[in-house]
Amino acid sequence: MCGLCGEITFDGASASTTALEAMAAELAPRGPDGDGILRRGRIGLGHRRLKIIDLSDHAQQPMTDPKLGLDIVFNGCIYNYKELRAELEAKGYDFFSHGDTEVILKAHHAWGEDAPKKFHGMFAYAVYERDSGRLFLARDRFGIKPLYYSDLPGRLRFASTLPAVVAGGGVDTSIDLGALNTYMSFHAVVPPPRTILNGVRKLPPATVRRYEPDGRFADTMYWHLDFSRSVEEEERSFEAWTDRVHEALTLAVERRMVADVPVGVLLSGGVDSSLIVGLLANMGQKGLKTFSIGFEEAKGEKGDEFTYSDMIAEHFGTDHRKIFVPSSELMDALPRTIAAQSEPMVSYDNVGFFLLSREVAKHVKVVQSGQGADEVFAGYHWYPKLEGSNQPIEDYAEAFFDRDHEKMSRHLEARWHGADEARKVVSDHFALPGATDPVDKALRLDTQIMLADDPVKRVDNMTMAWGLEARVPFLDHELVELAARIPARHKLADGGKGVLKAVARRVVPKEVIDRPKGYFPVPALKYLDGPYLEMARDALTSQKARERGLFRGDYLNAMFDDPAAFITPLRGSELWQCALLELWMQAHDL
């Protein structure tokens, strides 16, 4: 829920009201139900509210507690806020609202930088201590909720989106060379703290940052995902693991129904979203609202999975809505979809989530979604290739990278050649302690790096563009910790996601499970031709693109002549990847 922003100065100057207003205005779609700005000397906080929990004005933000001397802005949801409130009340804290924002504020006072360890949920927040002059920024374990910032002379600005930070003014918007390298190789993923812009950074997941009044700061990473396991866990039976995952996932789904408004489900027809629906139905949920989307086929590739989503909706008696998007509407929506991205994201299904969210937001304010299951339970095709690998870094890069470093040098102009940052990200992460199996190394990298800056960011950006909150039960941290301890052989069983599929067999029709793995299909963007090809060509040959000078002309001309010949190992379009970066820059007047 919501969008936050703020500015704090370290040189005695006052926070800029103009910058706060500009940032808050940029965040308006994330919070259509209310807004507020607090400016007090060197600190300024802004907020846009989406009312989900405690719909009264008592929970409006920025929230101030004069008694404790604390100010807060918060984006997200703390699912165990009622339990934490009871614990804090037992400590003597009084509450003036009934929501989760005030619980975070009191929890910070009670437990300081350890407070996030107690939260079950998704969150990004800023707490200012008036007595100490310290500012604290925090982000949830998986980076489900975003938090961007910019270090400017004598001051710090931060916000829920990158464009909001830029809107405050004075930000260096030149392209970061290292970020460009990972964007081009690591499937458009730019790991934190980098973004594609030199002047904007993002707080890493599972991190609390403390700023002193003079601008010095220190980071604390409060959570680590450990893939080591005991002998008993190594020998535990497949059935026993299935029982444990079934129980943990049920709790994760139940937790994410906490709201003072109805909660729906984005139902793709795949195993993951179907399982969420089935578990909710088994809990006794009646009249559950479910939503699916489809597109026109292109070059013989089907653009929807309605067969399976219809099956699940009928089986569990949901209140189901199908949304079919003709190609003409897809084309019209692309510019707005790209503008809604905090960072350039190349996946085709951005526009699918954007249009789906537009329709869903007409009916509910909160939905559960199946993102994260493939990264947590080993559903992607590259995990089996890593089983027993003697060269896991090379095998991972071959399966996942869009292009290797040598190939990139033939695609980018010489001044954009640099170190192999993408390979370094993988190498450094694989070398960390706590995961010895090559499959576990890849799962940990994908869960902690790729997931936050691809699928999760995509869902947050596209849903919040329409004031819709998406919750992801497969990223319940207790469930993920459990999954990490499952031996890779069990997760790779049954063609991948073995344990999760075993849970699904207890809940949903087998026809949804025993079928080829599906994706969110948008065929027109994979096979660029007609108006989509012209959009890409226009962007990459524009005056601004020529001035930026990112891509070699011979490479662009070859792609314009035959886009279908330039498909990445992950079935993406190299041309769309290049065009998307330029289209995103232009959408934000960069």
Side-chain angles (χ1 to χ4, degrees):
M1 70 184 216
C2 312
L4 64 84
C5 61
E7 177 177 285
I8 187 167
T9 67
F10 307 117
D11 59 3
S14 295
S16 169
T17 301
T18 301
L20 287 167
E21 290 176 344
M23 290 191 290
E26 180 67 31
L27 295 169
R30 295 181 71 94
D33 297 335
D35 65 278
I37 288 178
L38 168 70
R39 195 190 69 80
R40 189 185 297 108
R42 59 187 290 265
I43 183 71
L45 300 172
H47 194 261
R48 296 290 312 203
R49 186 181 181 196
L50 179 66
K51 294 182 178 180
I52 303 295
I53 293 175
D54 188 353
L55 309 185
S56 75
D57 288 341
H58 293 294
Q60 65 186 356
Q61 298 185 52
M63 181 178 285
T64 295
D65 189 321
K67 182 179 177 181
L68 300 181
L70 299 176
D71 304 314
I72 185 173
V73 282
F74 159 56
N75 169 33
C77 184
I78 307 301
Y79 306 123
N80 63 331
Y81 79 96
K82 291 182 180 178
E83 294 86 346
L84 290 174
R85 176 180 175 132
E87 185 177 347
L88 289 161
E89 286 176 331
K91 285 178 168 287
Y93 288 93
D94 297 320
F95 286 79
F96 52 80
S97 70
H98 299 282
D100 50 351
T101 304
E102 190 181 1
V103 169
I104 296 177
L105 189 148
K106 300 303 205 272
H108 174 85
H109 187 268
W111 301 302
E113 293 170 63
D114 286 333
K117 297 177 182 178
K118 289 182 168 284
F119 300 152
H120 287 279
M122 53 183 186
F123 53 87
Y125 64 82
V127 171
Y128 179 66
E129 296 178 344
R130 275 175 279 161
D131 291 342
S132 71
R134 289 172 168 170
L135 175 72
F136 294 81
L137 303 180
R139 198 172 177 203
D140 65 67
R141 293 166 179 84
F142 297 101
I144 301 168
K145 286 300 167 184
L147 190 53
Y148 295 87
Y149 63 91
S150 183
D151 292 305
L152 299 167
R155 66 188 63 214
L156 171 84
R157 289 209 190 109
F158 55 90
S160 293
T161 71
L162 183 153
V165 173
V166 173
V171 175
D172 178 0
T173 59
S174 61
I175 287 180
D176 181 305
L177 176 60
L180 178 63
N181 181 284
T182 58
Y183 175 88
M184 294 291 287
S185 281
F186 202 18
H187 202 53
V189 171
V190 177
R194 278 183 159 129
T195 76
I196 198 68
L197 303 184
N198 276 308
V200 184
R201 293 294 181 250
K202 55 198 173 198
L203 190 71
T207 300
V208 176
R209 176 171 292 181
R210 181 186 71 248
Y211 282 93
E212 301 295 340
D214 61 2
R216 290 178 297 123
F217 68 86
D219 285 351
T220 300
M221 191 171 183
Y222 62 85
W223 181 81
H224 298 268
L225 183 56
D226 190 355
F227 280 77
S228 59
R229 54 187 67 93
S230 66
V231 173
E232 188 273 333
E233 287 170 334
E234 188 66 47
E235 296 176 351
R236 183 176 293 154
S237 71
F238 183 90
E239 186 68 19
W241 280 118
T242 302
D243 290 340
R244 292 185 179 224
V245 170
H246 192 168
E247 179 182 2
L249 181 57
T250 300
L251 177 59
V253 170
E254 184 179 19
R255 279 175 175 155
R256 282 153 184 79
M257 293 301 286
V258 171
D260 293 333
V261 295
V263 179
V265 178
L266 301 182
L267 177 59
S268 69
V271 173
D272 311 326
S273 60
S274 299
L275 184 50
I276 293 171
V277 172
L279 290 171
L280 287 171
N282 289 348
M283 291 175 203
Q285 287 285 331
K286 303 294 183 184
L288 183 69
K289 294 184 184 297
T290 56
F291 308 86
S292 61
I293 192 168
F295 299 89
E296 287 183 32
E297 67 175 47
K299 297 189 183 298
E301 183 171 330
K302 192 171 173 60
D304 69 74
E305 294 191 323
F306 288 153
T307 299
Y308 300 104
S309 57
D310 286 352
M311 184 187 303
I312 293 298
E314 183 177 355
H315 185 83
F316 293 108
T318 71
D319 179 4
H320 188 59
R321 287 173 172 78
K322 289 188 294 187
I323 301 151
F324 179 77
V325 181
S327 288
S328 58
E329 189 173 352
L330 174 65
M331 187 68 194
D332 290 342
L334 271 175
R336 288 174 294 149
T337 300
I338 295 166
Q341 297 177 13
S342 265
E343 298 176 72
M345 293 177 285
V346 74
S347 296
Y348 307 134
D349 57 5
N350 277 295
V351 69
F353 277 112
F354 181 84
L355 291 169
L356 179 60
S357 299
R358 182 188 68 183
E359 297 306 313
V360 173
K362 297 175 183 177
H363 305 280
V364 295
K365 284 188 172 184
V366 184
V367 287
Q368 295 204 36
S369 182
Q371 271 61 44
D374 288 307
E375 293 84 355
V376 171
F377 288 98
Y380 290 127
H381 69 271
W382 53 88
Y383 300 129
K385 297 177 182 178
L386 285 163
E387 189 173 21
S389 172
N390 293 319
Q391 48 179 16
I393 296 170
E394 288 71 18
D395 290 342
Y396 179 91
E398 182 180 356
F400 190 88
F401 282 12
D402 292 328
R403 50 178 67 73
D404 61 26
H405 199 58
E406 189 279 328
K407 188 176 183 181
M408 193 187 311
S409 69
R410 292 184 273 116
H411 294 174
L412 295 176
E413 291 286 4
R415 70 188 184 94
W416 294 105
H417 295 176
D420 192 346
E421 296 288 347
R423 182 64 66 100
K424 185 177 186 300
V425 168
V426 176
S427 178
D428 289 350
H429 209 274
F430 277 22
L432 294 173
T436 56
D437 186 292
V439 176
D440 288 341
K441 290 178 184 290
L443 287 168
R444 184 178 59 181
L445 173 66
D446 290 349
T447 301
Q448 295 197 282
I449 301 294
M450 183 269 282
L451 183 65
D453 277 294
D454 188 6
V456 164
K457 181 168 63 185
R458 186 186 328 150
V459 173
D460 173 84
N461 286 186
M462 297 303 104
T463 55
M464 292 305 288
W466 298 101
L468 178 68
E469 178 179 298
R471 299 175 175 180
V472 279
F474 288 105
L475 294 186
D476 181 279
H477 74 271
E478 291 181 347
L479 174 65
V480 176
E481 289 169 346
L482 174 68
R485 298 195 300 275
I486 300 173
R489 65 182 184 277
H490 294 324
K491 283 181 278 200
L492 293 176
D494 199 7
K497 290 200 292 194
V499 174
L500 192 64
K501 286 179 181 177
V503 174
R505 292 185 193 284
R506 301 174 176 181
V507 180
V508 302
K510 61 181 177 58
E511 292 85 353
V512 172
I513 304 166
D514 298 322
R515 68 178 182 96
K517 178 176 175 57
Y519 294 88
F520 209 158
V522 189
L525 291 183
K526 179 177 178 180
Y527 304 104
L528 290 175
D529 58 15
Y532 303 99
L533 176 57
E534 291 311 306
M535 172 185 277
R537 189 195 306 271
D538 289 347
L540 289 166
T541 58
S542 67
Q543 180 64 30
K544 285 191 173 182
R546 290 197 298 272
E547 290 171 357
R548 247 184 287 277
L550 296 176
F551 308 109
R552 288 173 54 113
D554 56 347
Y555 173 55
L556 292 179
N557 289 332
M559 290 194 294
F560 294 151
D561 289 342
D562 188 6
F566 294 85
I567 302 298
T568 73
L570 294 182
R571 301 182 301 280
S573 163
E574 290 185 24
L575 177 55
W576 181 244
Q577 185 183 42
C578 297
L580 188 280
L581 175 56
E582 187 60 43
L583 286 164
W584 181 86
M585 297 289 288
Q586 294 179 21
H588 296 290
D589 296 321
L590 301 175

